[in-house]
Amino acid sequence: MEKPVLYIVVPCYNEQDVLPITHEHLVSLLQRMVDAGVVGGNSRVAYVDDGSTDGTWDMISQYAQLPQVCGIKLSANSGQQNALMAGLEAFARLADVMVTIDADLQDDIEVIPQMLDRHRQGSDIVYGVRRDRTSDTWFKRTSAQAFYRVMSRLGVRSVYNHADYRLMSRRAVMALLSYRERNLYLRGVVSLLGFTTDCVYYDRAERAAGHSKYQLRSMAGMAVDGITSFSIRPVRMVLTLGVVFLFIALAMLVYVLIAYFTGRAVSGWASIVLSLWFIGGCILIGLGVVGEYIGKIYIEVKDRPRYHIAEQIIK
Ligand code: UDP
Ligand code: MG
């Protein structure tokens, strides 16, 4: 079998502190794999500069003088998910397999050969999964776990404790690129692709240098994106709430009548309390119905592909 050409795609946003270390590790790993005959000689480390404002791009263009390194620079900071897509899109035609990995070496690059092993055994997507998160802060760990739980409640399939460290074959990348939506939540989309998948496990390390680019706000933003771009269930909840309110109105009716006939009601109270719940229920149901239509429109405008072809026999 031909040796596969591997592209390691690394999104970088203001990573000048950590990039020299990362670069050294990645290039030496790539060289080792080429020497061992695991990957083809045309394999590359591909950096994506996500509109950095520090010296990141200068470093990348300097590294790119090496034959094994290439890079692209985005015009503005577009977020890690978009940077990853840009990298995949730019190099998909040149690569047989692509690995995406953060620039901070928190994900163990030594499992890349293992990923390639699994790929050789027939997997199109190999997830890098964190064995433990003890190196993360308590807050990050609990918030991430709560997020995974909410996502699975809402019916979004995702691999537990897997971030954006994964290997994808070219056809899996091509399938991924056919998702044209703007509110991108890669982890969720990748799990929609199908194909044969596998996992490799590693221990997550501390950041090698520099500091996290995700503040609480962007983490929360990502969580909201992840949930709302995959599920219209929150809209349905409004509808449910409306129905619940109507039932409460019914219960109130009974209670109010009892109060009225036993002479405990203050005059005027009954009509106000009753209409409060009744009108509330009606409004919520109305909103829920409108929401249901908007939800449908939302799903339609995404224009997601309906299927991906895994194999073809054409004569
Ligand atoms: N990143 C990016 N654009 C951004 C934010 C982050 O390309 O707007 C990159 C960043 O350079 C790193 C990866 O995404 O390679 C993950 O970021 P970070 O390590 O800061 O996130 P954390 O590990 O704390 O979740
Ligand atoms: Mg990190």
Side-chain angles (χ1 to χ4, degrees), residues 10-15 18-19 48-52 56 74 76-84 101-107 130 133 136 140 163-164 187 204-205 207 209-215 218-219 222:
V10 191
C12 310
Y13 177 53
N14 292 344
E15 297 287 9
V18 77
L19 211 53
V48 181
D49 176 16
D50 183 17
S52 300
T56 300
L74 304 188
N77 181 234
S78 318
Q80 180 201 12
Q81 306 284 298
N82 290 312
L84 280 172
I101 187 168
D102 288 354
D104 56 11
L105 293 182
Q106 279 191 284
D107 307 307
R130 280 165 278 201
R133 299 185 69 125
D136 280 335
K140 182 131 193 168
D164 284 305
R187 267 165 257 180
R204 186 151 162 103
R207 232 175 190 283
H211 56 85
S212 176
K213 304 299 176 299
Y214 274 101
Q215 268 102 41
S218 45
M219 258 159 60
M222 180 143 163

Side-chain angles (χ1 to χ4, degrees), residues 251-265 269:
M252 284 306 270
L253 177 70
V254 175
Y255 176 63
V256 161
L257 283 180
I258 293 172
Y260 181 78
F261 284 116
T262 54
R264 279 190 285 122
W269 171 81

Side-chain angles (χ1 to χ4, degrees), residues 268-311:
W269 171 81
S271 51
I272 291 182
V273 166
L274 250 188
S275 39
L276 207 71
W277 287 98
F278 184 72
I279 294 173
C282 290
I283 291 176
L284 282 178
I285 287 182
L287 272 182
V289 171
V290 173
E292 190 68 26
Y293 284 99
I294 295 183
K296 292 277 178 322
I297 296 171
Y298 178 61
I299 299 288
E300 285 300 324
V301 292
K302 271 211 254 235
D303 201 17
R304 280 184 176 172
R306 246 166 272 221
Y307 56 82
H308 305 294
I309 296 166
E311 245 143 311

Side-chain angles (χ1 to χ4, degrees), residues 6-310:
L6 166 70
Y7 270 66
I8 304 177
V9 177
V10 191
C12 310
Y13 177 53
N14 292 344
E15 297 287 9
Q16 64 177 10
D17 296 333
V18 77
L19 211 53
I21 316 172
T22 308
H23 176 69
E24 198 190 303
H25 281 80
L26 282 178
V27 169
S28 85
L29 173 76
L30 196 68
Q31 198 53 52
R32 263 185 284 143
M33 288 194 294
V34 171
D35 292 343
V38 182
V39 297
N42 294 335
S43 299
R44 302 276 182 270
V45 177
Y47 296 107
V48 181
D49 176 16
D50 183 17
S52 300
T53 48
D54 65 355
T56 300
W57 180 245
D58 296 334
M59 291 174 130
I60 294 174
S61 29
Q62 191 204 324
Y63 296 151
Q65 288 169 0
L66 285 178
Q68 308 95 309
V69 178
C70 46
I72 53 172
K73 178 184 168 67
L74 304 188
S75 59
N77 181 234
S78 318
Q80 180 201 12
Q81 306 284 298
N82 290 312
L84 280 172
M85 279 303 251
L88 293 177
E89 195 150 28
F91 302 109
R93 269 156 207 84
L94 305 169
D96 297 317
V97 279
M98 304 184 91
V99 170
T100 52
I101 187 168
D102 288 354
D104 56 11
L105 293 182
Q106 279 191 284
D107 307 307
D108 184 6
I109 63 169
E110 298 300 329
V111 302
I112 292 180
Q114 226 174 314
M115 287 178 163
L116 282 156
D117 253 5
R118 301 293 164 87
H119 170 65
R120 222 171 300 121
Q121 290 159 17
S123 294
D124 280 281
I125 302 171
V126 185
Y127 296 105
V129 179
R130 280 165 278 201
R131 208 175 280 131
D132 74 317
R133 299 185 69 125
T134 39
S135 66
D136 280 335
T137 61
W138 175 85
F139 177 73
K140 182 131 193 168
R141 212 163 50 225
T142 2
S143 60
Q145 246 138 29
F147 172 64
Y148 283 118
R149 214 158 291 149
V150 171
M151 288 295 275
S152 71
R153 280 275 163 78
L154 291 175
V156 183
R157 281 185 293 164
S158 54
V159 179
Y160 197 63
N161 267 345
H162 157 70
D164 284 305
Y165 182 27
R166 73 180 81 83
L167 172 144
M168 299 177 80
S169 66
R170 184 199 286 149
R171 64 178 184 179
V173 172
M174 287 303 180
L176 175 65
L177 293 176
S178 63
Y179 284 74
R180 305 305 314 173
E181 58 205 67
R182 300 294 310 260
N183 295 310
L184 196 64
Y185 178 66
L186 268 178
R187 267 165 257 180
V189 174
V190 170
S191 71
L192 290 182
L193 295 179
F195 296 114
T196 319
T197 63
D198 207 340
C199 298
V200 297
Y201 297 89
Y202 65 96
D203 295 316
R204 186 151 162 103
E206 305 264 359
R207 232 175 190 283
H211 56 85
S212 176
K213 304 299 176 299
Y214 274 101
Q215 268 102 41
L216 180 59
R217 202 161 52 110
S218 45
M219 258 159 60
M222 180 143 163
V224 171
D225 264 1
I227 291 168
T228 54
S229 68
F230 270 88
S231 168
I232 54 171
R233 244 177 250 190
V235 173
R236 296 241 163 95
M237 283 174 197
V238 176
L239 196 62
T240 321
L241 206 63
V243 175
V244 169
F245 271 36
L246 275 195
F247 273 112
I248 294 178
L250 217 64
M252 284 306 270
L253 177 70
V254 175
Y255 176 63
V256 161
L257 283 180
I258 293 172
Y260 181 78
F261 284 116
T262 54
R264 279 190 285 122
V266 185
S267 81
W269 171 81
S271 51
I272 291 182
V273 166
L274 250 188
S275 39
L276 207 71
W277 287 98
F278 184 72
I279 294 173
C282 290
I283 291 176
L284 282 178
I285 287 182
L287 272 182
V289 171
V290 173
E292 190 68 26
Y293 284 99
I294 295 183
K296 292 277 178 322
I297 296 171
Y298 178 61
I299 299 288
E300 285 300 324
V301 292
K302 271 211 254 235
D303 201 17
R304 280 184 176 172
R306 246 166 272 221
Y307 56 82
H308 305 294
I309 296 166

